[in-house]
Amino acid sequence: MSTEFIKVCLYLWIIYVLLFMDYLKLSVIAASGLISGAIQAQKAPNVVIVLLDDMGYGDLSVTGAIGYKTPNIDRLCVEGMRFTNFYSAEAVSSASRSGLLTGCYPNRIGFAGALGPNAKIGIADSEETIGEVLKKQGYATAAVGKWHLGHHPQFLPLRHGFDEYLGLPYSNDMWPFHPQNPQAYPPLPLIEGERIIDPEVTPEDQEQLTTMYTERAVKFIEKNKSKPFFLYLAHSMPHVPLFVSDKFKGKSEQGRYGDVMMEIDWSVGEIIKALEKNGIADNTLIVFTSDNGPWTNYGNHAGSSGGLREAKGTTFEGGQRVPCIMRWPGKIPAGTVCNQLASAIDLLPTLAQLCGAPLPSLKIDGLDISPLMFGNETAKPREYFLYYYDRNSLKAVRNDRFKLVLPHIGRTYAGFLPGNDGQPGQVNERHQEYLSLYDLRRDPGERYDVQNQHPEVVAELMKIVEAARLDLGDELTGQEGTGRRPVGTLIE
């Protein structure tokens, strides 16, 4: 065998080996990419809901706040989506929170108003919260801050889908320092899990609430960074009485209210930092919103409705249309605005869809709005929204453009000078409203009744009203509704 022949064979062998090795390398890379992609596709997002108490539509830099800045919340807008037609479930605390956490209109599950320290009712065992829905998918869950769905152990977060809880059981003004009825309230407790760890919260304690909630939230993120988690951070403020730590005291040009909003903005920044520090920001959905509109008769201690009509405790836009911002890097298109109709009751079914969790077995009213979140401009998951208040009064309904206000007795702040420095001004709680139709595209302040110009719209919206009355009832017309479920009652 010639030397030249041996050389040729050797060269061919070397080429074969090199080609085979490259093939193996490419195969490994391709396989790794497929596996990595599959793992990424199956990786459920972490979820953080930041809920403020009594923040108005105009209380952020991006919605017109004056005298202070909210740069961290603004950053959520720059890196995510701002919803301009987003509604709290109702215009008052307990009812609103029950709707957010269960995906139901509050009156469907027996909730109305704001529960006080003497209440013997709360969220029913049969209702499923977002915490319970996500726990089925292996999520770690925590509730931090104001709860307000019942203060007895059977109603507290640990019995309703949350692994951890730290916070106040109800509003921070339900204490012996109330400006109008101090004798009506016992000492305000701070609860961890189901144990009272501070039986008598003081003004000095309230100054540390925002910081304490934030530190607990960051600690929860740190502890669960390697597995999916759901954090429900429900700040006690800017509900009155307003308290702020020394970090932000006197820092704004808007007095105490601006200071409080600056500290809440700092809190949002700390959450973002914790997510980035632990390398999980890109796989975390943040939802930032409020439980209802501002309590404007508190004057300089209240927020702004941003020009919308009325405020907290009313079914006009200032009472229920609230800021909502969502950020999920790489999933929600950055710097976008969604003008479609959406509500806090839509969060549960949306999160269930995103996290691959089954919906509750009982009927809910929320809808999956993930197509809106992902920038589908033609999607229209919610065609109408019902405005209930009081025990079970249907006071208004809207579609994408028009809002029909039904005859009712309600609250009005109009015409009364607000209070100041923690003292409330007068409110007319027996104000008569008449049937009226508003074009929210042209008149978001609800000032011009156009029912005579659009009788066909009134007729269409009245069909929705009649169907709602059959299902959910309406005490204004004496209808009980066939689809309502009882609230939870205390077992003693």
Side-chain angles (χ1 to χ4, degrees), residues 425-491:
Q426 185 180 347
V427 177
N428 183 355
E429 301 282 3
R430 299 292 301 169
H431 183 70
Q432 176 67 53
E433 299 291 347
Y434 301 93
L435 184 72
S436 49
L437 182 72
Y438 299 105
D439 182 349
L440 295 180
R441 183 181 70 84
R442 301 177 61 191
D443 178 26
E446 299 170 280
R447 291 172 174 83
Y448 307 104
D449 181 6
V450 295
Q451 63 176 305
N452 291 333
Q453 287 92 337
H454 299 281
E456 76 289 352
V457 175
V458 174
E460 283 300 312
L461 290 175
M462 281 304 301
K463 291 178 183 178
I464 297 172
V465 167
E466 293 305 325
R469 286 169 172 166
L470 291 174
D471 180 21
L472 292 170
D474 178 17
E475 66 179 359
L476 295 177
T477 54
Q479 292 175 266
E480 280 296 318
T482 59
R484 298 178 66 209
R485 304 191 287 268
V487 72
T489 55
L490 179 62
I491 300 172

Side-chain angles (χ1 to χ4, degrees), residues 20 35 81 95 106 140 142 155-156 165 182 202 228-229 291 318 341 344 377 418 447:
F20 184 71
I35 293 169
M81 177 178 288
F155 305 129
L156 290 175
Y165 172 58
T202 65
F229 62 79
D291 68 339
L341 188 58
E377 296 181 358
R447 291 172 174 83

Side-chain angles (χ1 to χ4, degrees), residues 111-352:
F111 265 89
L115 302 182
N118 297 319
K120 295 186 177 181
I121 60 172
I123 185 169
D125 291 343
S126 56
E127 305 298 342
E128 291 185 57
T129 68
I130 295 174
E132 288 170 300
V133 167
L134 296 187
K135 271 184 74 69
K136 293 177 182 177
Q137 296 301 103
Y139 275 64
T141 57
V144 179
K146 177 179 171 181
W147 180 241
H148 220 175
L149 298 184
H151 66 282
H152 297 281
Q154 75 183 73
F155 305 129
L156 290 175
L158 267 59
R159 310 279 182 102
H160 294 278
F162 293 93
D163 302 321
E164 302 179 19
Y165 172 58
L166 174 70
L168 302 184
Y170 32 75
S171 298
N172 68 327
D173 68 334
M174 295 179 175
W175 67 335
F177 299 95
H178 191 280
Q180 292 177 301
N181 301 302
Q183 72 285 349
Y185 297 105
L188 177 64
L190 176 69
I191 297 175
E192 183 167 22
E194 295 181 358
R195 184 172 62 90
I196 294 175
I197 59 172
D198 184 351
E200 194 166 344
V201 171
T202 65
E204 293 74 22
D205 293 331
Q206 289 226 40
E207 290 180 352
Q208 301 305 316
L209 279 181
T210 300
T211 296
M212 179 178 63
Y213 292 165
T214 304
E215 290 174 348
R216 177 56 65 94
V218 168
K219 182 179 178 181
F220 174 78
I221 291 171
E222 294 274 359
K223 185 171 71 172
N224 296 284
K225 59 188 176 184
S226 61
K227 58 184 175 183
F229 62 79
F230 168 48
L231 170 62
Y232 172 56
L233 173 56
H235 280 293
S236 291
M237 283 171 247
H239 191 290
V240 291
L242 297 177
F243 289 97
V244 66
S245 73
D246 289 340
K247 296 190 296 296
F248 292 93
K249 198 172 289 183
K251 298 295 184 182
S252 84
E253 297 173 8
Q254 276 291 355
R256 182 67 61 84
Y257 193 87
D259 297 350
V260 167
M261 286 301 300
M262 289 177 68
E263 185 159 38
I264 290 171
D265 181 76
W266 163 84
S267 174
V268 171
E270 293 299 294
I271 298 300
I272 296 172
K273 283 183 193 175
L275 296 172
E276 291 178 337
K277 174 186 172 184
N278 291 285
I280 53 177
D282 287 350
N283 195 47
T284 300
L285 167 65
I286 299 177
V287 178
F288 175 89
T289 188
S290 180
D291 68 339
N292 47 247
W295 210 349
T296 54
N297 62 312
Y298 275 88
N300 64 349
H301 279 204
S304 165
S305 63
L308 299 175
R309 182 175 175 181
E310 298 290 0
K312 172 181 177 174
T314 78
T315 49
F316 288 101
E317 295 298 279
Q320 277 187 259
R321 195 193 294 198
V322 293
C324 180
I325 307 162
M326 299 187 190
R327 187 192 83 155
W328 185 4
K331 301 293 192 302
I332 294 176
T336 52
V337 174
C338 178
N339 296 320
Q340 294 286 6
L341 188 58
S343 170
I345 63 176
D346 298 327
L347 293 179
L348 184 148
T350 302
L351 295 176

Side-chain angles (χ1 to χ4, degrees), residues 67-144:
Y68 62 90
K69 298 290 186 182
T70 54
N72 293 300
I73 300 168
D74 296 349
R75 178 183 171 187
L76 295 181
C77 294
V78 171
E79 298 175 356
M81 177 178 288
R82 181 166 67 92
F83 289 75
T84 62
N85 283 279
F86 189 90
Y87 290 84
S88 62
E90 251 188 52
V92 66
S93 186
S94 292
S96 172
R97 290 155 199 271
S98 73
L100 183 154
L101 285 172
T102 67
C104 297
Y105 284 116
N107 49 318
R108 182 177 297 285
I109 59 174
F111 265 89
L115 302 182
N118 297 319
K120 295 186 177 181
I121 60 172
I123 185 169
D125 291 343
S126 56
E127 305 298 342
E128 291 185 57
T129 68
I130 295 174
E132 288 170 300
V133 167
L134 296 187
K135 271 184 74 69
K136 293 177 182 177
Q137 296 301 103
Y139 275 64
T141 57
V144 179

